[in-house]
């Protein structure tokens, strides 16, 4: 998948970036009232931990969930743990 994406970028150039609605209204996330869980991989970069904490705070999502043994691609790297997290959230259980 990454190889195909790189090949496409080299052939066609970088796609135009879509406008970010948060550029117009940075507080827009704070208006959402949906259940949310913010997770990061245990081995992710520090800035993702900081961004996750900020996003969790803005969404009122509670503590950031750290997925053990995962990096940035937690759903691919720790599929069972990620699926368990999703199933538990769908059941209305708070992440452990």
């Amino acid at each position: 998948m990454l190889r195909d994406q790189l090949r496409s970028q080299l052939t066609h150039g970088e796609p135009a970036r879509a406008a970010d609605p948060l550029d117009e209204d940075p507080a827009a996330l704070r208006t959402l009232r949906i259940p949310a869980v913010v997770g990061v991989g245990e081995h992710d970069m520090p800035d993702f931990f900081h961004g996750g904490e900020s996003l969790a705070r803005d969404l009122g999502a509670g503590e950031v969930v750290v997925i053990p043994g995962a990096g940035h691609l937690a759903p691919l790297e720790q599929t069972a743990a990620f699926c368990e997290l999703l199933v538990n959230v769908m059941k209305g259980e708070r992440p452990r």
Side-chain angles (χ1 to χ4, degrees):
M1 182 173 74
L2 291 174
R3 182 178 33 243
D4 289 344
Q5 181 181 4
L6 177 59
R7 186 177 296 125
S8 177
Q9 285 175 322
L10 291 174
T11 302
H12 305 290
E14 190 72 30
R17 293 185 61 96
D20 184 344
L22 295 179
D23 287 341
E24 281 185 37
D25 184 8
L29 286 178
R30 293 183 184 96
T31 66
L32 296 176
R33 296 294 167 246
I34 57 171
V37 173
V38 177
V40 296
E42 175 185 20
H43 304 296
D44 215 334
M45 302 296 286
D47 57 327
F48 284 94
F49 281 83
H50 298 302
E53 291 167 356
S54 176
L55 181 59
R57 185 175 46 255
D58 288 349
L59 293 174
E63 296 293 319
V64 172
V65 176
V66 177
I67 300 173
H72 186 61
L73 300 174
L76 299 176
E77 297 167 4
Q78 296 296 330
T79 305
F82 183 79
C83 288
E84 180 181 1
L85 173 64
L86 289 182
V87 168
N88 289 340
V89 168
M90 293 292 127
K91 289 179 179 178
E93 299 173 8
R94 290 301 306 160
R96 303 177 225 147

